[in-house]
Amino acid sequence: MSQRPHNGTVFGRRAFLAGSAATAAVTALPGTALGAERTNSVTLTAAKARVPIVGPPHPMTDVWCYNGTSPGPVLRARQGSRLKVVVRNRLTEPTTVHWHGLRVPNNMDGVPYVTQPPIVPGQDFTYDFALPDAGTYWYHPHVNGSEQVGRGLAGALIVEELSPPRVDRDVLWVLDDWRLTRRAAIAGNFGHPRDLSHAGRLGNTATINGRVPTRFTIRAGERIRLRLVNVANARTFGLKFEGHAPKIVALDGQPVSPHEPPGGMIVLAAAQRADVILDATGEPGTRIRVLDAYYRRSAYKLVELDYAKTRLRPAVPDWPFDLRANPLAAPDLKSAQRHEILLEGGAMGGRITARGAQPMPRGAMWAINGSAMMETAKSWKPLLTLKHGTSHVFRLNNRTVFDHPMHLHGHSFRVIARNERPTNLREWRDTVLVRPRETVDIVFVADNPGDWMFHCHILEHMAAGMMAVIHVG
Ligand code: C2O
Ligand code: CU
Ligand code: CU
């Protein structure tokens, strides 16, 4: 099982470690705080820029990004309002924007050829949709995803509850993983066959809010709502806050019964989010390490919590923390239709046993029920057609030796079993990590009509065919 970062063309496992001389404190991102009006408008311009990912004395990094920063501006809006986003393509290739995790109408979903024509260079496209669900979401292109996201096109989108629970600070950490050269430039080997057929494009430089961080200042007694978003192409993060007991209160934007994660590790596969209550139980003047320990043999310190000299209050508050459930349709398990979904392919024992409805396209290395779909496909046959309003159980059966964070557009689903054992949390998600040789059962109501992508969010797996269309109608 080879899930370790590969260092191929780049040097050292962690190119720019947090803690090296010139790295910076965690910075807040530029945000577009959208008011409580019924419609909020914003423009996102996708273009090239130079940004200080590693920080001086290292050179700046050439990226592709929204509005000159990577990640792009934080879009913040109120639950129940509308969002109108004019996307201007000033790149040299087509793009789109997909609103990951949001239940938008199909024609606003940002999938080229499936829901809209790609936005060609020089053109604009206006997205306009309602925000029925509160939570932590994100946006990214759905064209040439491995390269466009890998070069920096991604941003967070926060839908605020009408009455948010009380905290001292609402903090966003957009986690990313870059493959940089010694000169802090983005390594150009996108689409390398080894990345496509193994664990995806794992990088060598982890960032928080687009910078290699050293420290995050915190005060004893403080309560923080920490929103974590993993925008990496492939890396799963496993965050451990030494000596602290953060509680997960939402996953992929959807409230979950507050719980401490197993082993104290907050796992975020590519595209996943977690909202965490972090109570500052440490002592003034101390430093606490935050580790990323998902890949055990290459755990590293991501950042340090740097406790201020003085307390905010004598002890952490015991304010109630209740998030109201979003208005998601409750699936009916009794009437649900069951579907077996085989995930096959990749390196090392990845034989494709199922016979798909269509021949395997050129360049495909992965398959879903024996079929593959490329990002550039202009025609397709749906993997499944689901009747509008009916409930469905997918048994995701991972027959490969790699992780696959599987994502469904336009819907959230409940994760009800792993290896046929019921889950405790029955958590709602839009992206679920299916480990090697594991089966995961998810259930949802197909209540959003249209053609919806269902794909692995390791963007190199997606680029090599691990994608399908689910038709709801
Ligand atoms: Cu963030 Cu089709 O995905
Ligand atoms: Cu999505
Ligand atoms: Cu995958």
Side-chain angles (χ1 to χ4, degrees):
M1 195 161 55
S2 166
Q3 294 270 339
R4 278 189 305 158
H6 104 90
N7 305 307
T9 54
V10 218
F11 53 96
R13 181 163 294 149
R14 310 304 311 165
F16 301 103
L17 276 171
S20 71
T23 49
V26 174
T27 46
L29 286 167
T32 308
L34 303 163
E37 312 89 83
R38 305 218 42 192
T39 301
N40 292 286
S41 299
V42 60
T43 298
L44 290 178
T45 303
K48 296 181 179 172
R50 266 171 91 68
V51 296
I53 292 178
V54 192
H58 302 280
M60 306 264 274
T61 302
D62 287 308
V63 297
W64 301 357
C65 63
Y66 298 110
N67 296 6
T69 67
S70 181
V74 187
L75 308 184
R76 273 186 178 264
R78 272 316 203 36
Q79 183 174 18
S81 68
R82 287 187 76 84
L83 186 58
K84 185 171 165 182
V85 187
V86 179
V87 173
R88 305 168 69 218
N89 182 2
R90 301 300 179 261
L91 303 166
T92 53
E93 62 179 53
T95 194
T96 58
V97 176
H98 168 61
W99 312 96
H100 183 115
L102 294 179
R103 297 187 296 141
V104 298
N106 197 240
N107 63 353
M108 294 288 116
D109 200 44
V111 180
Y113 307 114
V114 178
T115 71
Q116 69 169 95
I119 312 167
V120 300
Q123 251 190 14
D124 301 351
F125 186 90
T126 302
Y127 295 91
D128 184 356
F129 46 82
L131 300 165
D133 303 324
T136 305
Y137 303 95
W138 65 296
Y139 59 92
H140 62 80
H142 225 281
V143 175
N144 188 20
S146 166
E147 179 162 16
Q148 292 196 9
V149 177
R151 288 192 183 277
L153 286 159
L157 194 163
I158 293 173
V159 184
E160 287 173 346
E161 297 88 11
L162 295 175
S163 47
R166 184 170 178 193
V167 293
D168 292 307
R169 271 195 290 167
D170 187 326
V171 172
L172 171 67
W173 285 7
V174 177
L175 306 171
D176 204 350
D177 174 38
W178 306 76
R179 189 180 289 180
L180 299 181
T181 69
R182 265 177 212 287
R183 300 275 307 145
I186 293 174
N189 49 353
F190 289 95
H192 191 284
R194 190 189 154 94
D195 294 330
L196 298 178
S197 60
H198 289 71
R201 183 179 162 102
L202 293 163
N204 52 23
T205 306
T207 55
I208 298 178
N209 298 345
R211 305 283 184 92
V212 174
T214 51
R215 59 191 187 282
F216 175 75
T217 308
I218 191 170
R219 290 184 70 188
E222 188 177 18
R223 168 168 288 185
I224 291 173
R225 175 181 188 167
L226 182 59
R227 299 175 188 260
L228 301 167
V229 184
N230 181 1
V231 306
N233 282 34
R235 173 174 296 277
T236 296
F237 285 88
L239 301 192
K240 285 190 163 185
F241 292 72
E242 287 189 335
H244 286 62
K247 277 198 187 63
I248 296 177
V249 295
L251 291 167
D252 293 355
Q254 309 300 335
V256 62
S257 13
H259 63 282
E260 288 172 24
M265 183 159 77
I266 304 165
V267 174
L268 296 128
Q272 291 187 325
R273 290 87 63 211
D275 285 39
V276 164
I277 290 298
L278 178 62
D279 281 333
T281 50
E283 291 301 314
T286 59
R287 290 191 150 206
I288 301 297
R289 297 190 305 168
V290 181
L291 306 175
D292 171 14
Y294 183 75
Y295 305 91
R296 256 179 224 145
R297 283 167 296 183
S298 47
Y300 64 97
K301 182 183 74 182
L302 176 67
V303 67
E304 275 181 353
L305 303 183
D306 193 355
Y307 271 86
K309 296 260 158 10
T310 57
R311 290 185 165 276
L312 179 66
R313 59 173 69 84
V316 292
D318 61 355
W319 301 328
F321 198 96
D322 296 314
L323 289 175
R324 187 178 306 161
N326 285 315
L328 301 172
D332 175 25
L333 268 169
K334 283 212 187 77
S335 69
Q337 283 176 48
R338 292 169 184 271
H339 311 269
E340 175 90 2
I341 311 274
L342 295 182
L343 309 176
E344 295 183 304
M348 289 169 292
R351 228 161 12 101
I352 294 168
T353 58
R355 203 156 0 95
Q358 37 205 338
M360 290 285 282
R362 274 195 62 198
M365 296 176 180
W366 305 89
I368 301 178
N369 284 355
S371 290
M373 179 175 169
M374 309 308 272
E375 286 176 295
T376 48
K378 294 191 179 68
S379 65
W380 67 90
K381 286 203 195 96
L383 177 74
L384 294 169
T385 294
L386 311 180
K387 191 163 173 279
H388 186 208
T390 55
S391 293
H392 298 270
V393 175
F394 286 7
R395 171 159 293 172
L396 309 177
N397 183 342
N398 183 356
R399 297 197 168 172
T400 80
V401 297
F402 293 94
D403 281 357
H404 301 292
M406 298 302 297
H407 170 51
L408 176 63
H409 285 210
H411 299 77
S412 288
F413 50 77
R414 289 190 98 148
V415 181
I416 55 171
R418 288 187 178 268
N419 292 328
E420 299 178 44
R421 292 189 44 208
T423 59
N424 294 328
L425 296 167
R426 300 169 64 83
E427 65 274 25
W428 289 98
R429 283 198 166 280
D430 56 58
T431 307
V432 65
L433 180 56
V434 190
R435 296 207 159 90
R437 307 288 176 195
E438 189 181 33
T439 67
V440 175
D441 293 2
I442 61 172
V443 63
F444 66 101
V445 181
D447 61 354
N448 200 353
D451 289 314
W452 300 104
M453 308 316 291
F454 174 62
H455 63 85
C456 179
H457 223 289
I458 289 180
L459 298 175
E460 292 68 35
H461 293 180
M462 180 179 167
M466 205 167 200
M467 180 160 81
V469 170
I470 306 285
H471 178 77
V472 176

